[in-house]
Amino acid sequence: MIKPEFTDVVIKKSDTGFYQNYSVPIALGSKSIIIALALWALLWPESTNNLLGSIKWSLLENFNAFYIILFGLFSCFLIFIALVPSIGKRVMGLPGDKPEFSTFSWFSMMFGAGLGVGLMVFSTAEPLGLWASNPAILAQEVEANTAEALLPTYRYTFAHYGFHTWGVFVIVGLALAYCSYTRGMPLTLRSTLAPLIGKYANGVLGHIVDILGVVATILAVSTTIGFGVSQLIDGIYTITGIEWIMNISGDIPTPSNAGLIAGLALIMILSIVSAVSGVGRGVKYLSNLNLILSIFLLLIFVFFGSFFFAMTTYGTAFVDYILHYISLSFNAYLPMNESQYLDLIPESAKAFSSELFANSTNAWGSYQSFLSSLSDNAAALDESTLKQAYIAGNEGRQFAWQAGWTTFYWAWMVAYAPFVGLFLARISKGRTIREFILGCVIAPSLVCFAWMTILGATAIDLELSGVADGSIIDASNTNKLFITLGYLLEGEFLALVNIMCVILVLTFLITSADSGILVMNTIMSGGDQDAGIKHRIVWGAILTAVIGTLLLAAGDNNPMEALRNAMIIGALPFAMILGLMMIAMCKAMYVDSLLLKQEIKQEK
């Protein structure tokens, strides 16, 4: 006789006071960590930035293979359960439950709360960045910024915005929706581990899981808003020419701290207003507006951009992406040290081994940049020796690139997963597991691919043809989109489209922030989806403080650095929880299948 698993997850809440209907340990634990981080950044900004940077790179070096393989396993797991008929057709809910939202609203909310800000910021920046540096370029298979480099450029662009990224969101969303709507547990993170930890989900262990989820969400949303605010200020400057919002002292104009803080204040005020109105009103309407404006922007690139070039790129790149899917999922590089490098270079180069090692393992360096970075004595070595020295550093270059780019993305997506996953679960009650996986992995990935090729390939085509003459490449990441539009349009129409892009960035930012506030509120209230307007306001204020202090801690040169570093550090503990979550789902679905068979036998 197979017995049902433990599902009696109970989260003790306060009966009175400010935290009425909230879990005090979760609320105070998560707020204490986040407020301490904000105060540290405010009081000791330089030491905060330096220490966060040191810890971040250490984690990327030591957990690179862990992240790559973990995401590969997530992808395989989702493919398996979607294909198994008995699992795929299960409804995330009780018999007779129907979806709460229409397919259009469901998809628009998913899209806006998922990668909307990232797609605006990196639509041109990601392909152009990878066009200059990717594993194929580092291995000297193709030359940077050439037509031949286009295919590997989009292979890794698709990897960063495709099935792996949406898969990690769906792991969390599926586990939450299944445990909550099918098994009747609270819509909170600890419920997803109940198949493994049983009654311990009701104690300290459960509190830790929820607190880590809240902290990861805060840091992920902060990083996303940081990138988005920067693009918002770039757009406002393009339209208005207001100088105080920009730092124009360097070679490339970038948003000033004053501009970033002003933009942040605007976004967070509007986000709190939207969050107070709830999912069914503010978030839903803004998400629908996001999708409509996104389609309009896409059509502008279709009619005025390099559409045929983009679609050709889409087709060839998608086939290439599928052919390399297994290697993208599981091919993890290991760090390389100088002693390993020393064994691979010619004897005549060993006197300069430290210099050659540092430059040949630079993840952003082509062979030409390697040569140009050497001192006169090292550069005087014969060409054959220099080529061997560069080739010897290939493993180190590949590792540094993967750790600094792909693994950075995976850490960002892990930190984003409790936020997006819980939000996806919140809007997906009544849908089947197969529908959920296809709708939240395949469909948005294909849209992301189209977005990145239509916008990104247009920018690349402008550079390949010589029209842009390096101006898009040289622009800041958050300004590349506006520079590209400047080559496609002119006059009042260009001004109108720039205004539309600023509105689109703003609404994406508001959607991301208010969705994050609602999700954190849901976790703290033990799965209650309608509790606490005052707490939504408090979390909005805390989120604003964290972003503002970390932006200021990094200084004018790279204001996003401290945010990125904090996010990567906060993501690692939750990455381990995600692995356990996948195992717990395997067990839960297997046990439920056995129980169903047992019930059928008993009825007969």
Side-chain angles (χ1 to χ4, degrees), residues 143-177:
E143 188 178 343
N145 297 336
T146 62
E148 291 74 24
L150 194 62
L151 201 61
T153 291
Y154 273 97
R155 179 189 310 157
Y156 292 96
T157 300
F158 285 7
H160 296 157
Y161 285 85
F163 302 152
H164 294 89
T165 289
W166 286 94
V168 73
F169 300 158
V170 169
I171 288 289
V172 179
L174 176 63
L176 283 165

Side-chain angles (χ1 to χ4, degrees), residues 180-244:
S180 178
Y181 302 139
T182 304
R183 287 191 154 201
M185 290 184 276
L187 186 65
T188 191
L189 296 169
R190 70 177 72 194
S191 297
T192 64
L193 296 186
L196 290 182
I197 63 177
K199 63 182 181 180
Y200 294 104
N202 290 339
V204 175
L205 192 56
H207 293 331
I208 292 173
V209 171
D210 286 338
I211 289 170
L212 290 175
V214 172
V215 171
T217 298
I218 278 277
L219 296 175
V221 173
S222 297
T223 303
T224 299
I225 292 175
F227 277 118
V229 169
S230 182
Q231 188 174 46
L232 179 69
I233 299 304
D234 275 319
I236 293 174
Y237 177 71
T238 299
I239 296 166
T240 65
I242 299 173
E243 293 189 356
W244 67 267

Side-chain angles (χ1 to χ4, degrees), residues 75 79 163-164 320-330:
S75 182
I79 292 171
F163 302 152
H164 294 89
D320 180 73
Y321 169 63
I322 297 301
L323 291 175
H324 289 86
Y325 193 78
I326 299 300
S327 65
L328 290 170
S329 300
F330 296 105

Side-chain angles (χ1 to χ4, degrees), residues 291-534:
L291 191 57
I292 293 168
L293 292 179
S294 298
I295 292 171
F296 188 67
L297 179 60
L298 198 65
L299 290 174
I300 288 172
F301 275 84
V302 168
F303 287 111
F304 297 97
S306 308
F307 183 64
F308 179 76
F309 177 73
M311 286 297 94
T312 303
T313 302
Y314 191 146
T316 56
F318 184 74
V319 172
D320 180 73
Y321 169 63
I322 297 301
L323 291 175
H324 289 86
Y325 193 78
I326 299 300
S327 65
L328 290 170
S329 300
F330 296 105
N331 186 21
Y333 291 96
L334 298 175
M336 184 182 200
N337 57 47
E338 191 173 338
S339 62
Q340 293 172 313
Y341 179 77
L342 199 62
D343 294 335
L344 300 174
I345 60 175
E347 194 66 35
S348 59
K350 292 185 177 179
F352 308 99
S353 61
S354 295
E355 181 182 355
L356 293 171
F357 173 71
N359 289 292
S360 68
T361 55
N362 177 11
W364 323 116
S366 63
Y367 178 63
Q368 293 304 319
S369 64
F370 162 71
L371 294 178
S372 64
S373 63
L374 297 177
S375 64
D376 292 341
N377 290 333
L381 293 168
D382 65 86
E383 185 177 353
S384 175
T385 300
L386 288 172
K387 282 189 175 180
Q388 290 182 63
Y390 182 75
I391 292 170
N394 182 59
E395 184 78 14
R397 282 194 304 279
Q398 300 289 357
F399 167 77
W401 185 93
Q402 189 178 62
W405 205 313
T406 300
T407 304
F408 162 71
Y409 268 115
W410 286 179
W412 191 1
M413 297 308 109
V414 163
Y416 225 56
F419 156 45
V420 181
L422 200 152
F423 189 75
L424 291 178
R426 167 67 183 82
I427 63 176
S428 301
K429 183 178 181 180
R431 298 188 182 272
T432 66
I433 290 175
R434 184 176 296 111
E435 182 183 13
F436 185 66
I437 292 173
L438 293 178
C440 297
V441 176
I442 306 299
S445 294
L446 295 177
V447 172
C448 288
F449 296 163
W451 185 274
M452 301 301 270
T453 48
I454 293 173
L455 276 67
T458 293
I460 289 176
D461 191 38
L462 289 169
E463 292 288 2
L464 269 176
S465 62
V467 173
D469 195 26
S471 61
I472 305 176
I473 292 174
D474 292 338
S476 66
N477 285 340
T478 52
N479 199 32
K480 282 181 168 61
L481 175 61
F482 295 104
I483 299 295
T484 303
L485 285 169
Y487 283 102
L488 303 180
L489 310 171
E490 59 184 14
E492 293 182 358
F493 188 44
L494 172 61
L496 180 64
V497 172
N498 282 335
I499 292 171
M500 186 197 73
C501 286
V502 169
I503 294 172
L504 185 55
V505 172
L506 182 63
T507 53
F508 269 135
L509 285 167
I510 294 169
T511 305
S512 295
D514 61 16
S515 299
I517 292 168
L518 289 168
V519 165
M520 288 181 286
N521 228 34
T522 300
I523 295 173
M524 286 194 309
S525 62
D528 188 345
Q529 299 170 25
D530 300 310
I533 288 178
K534 60 186 177 183

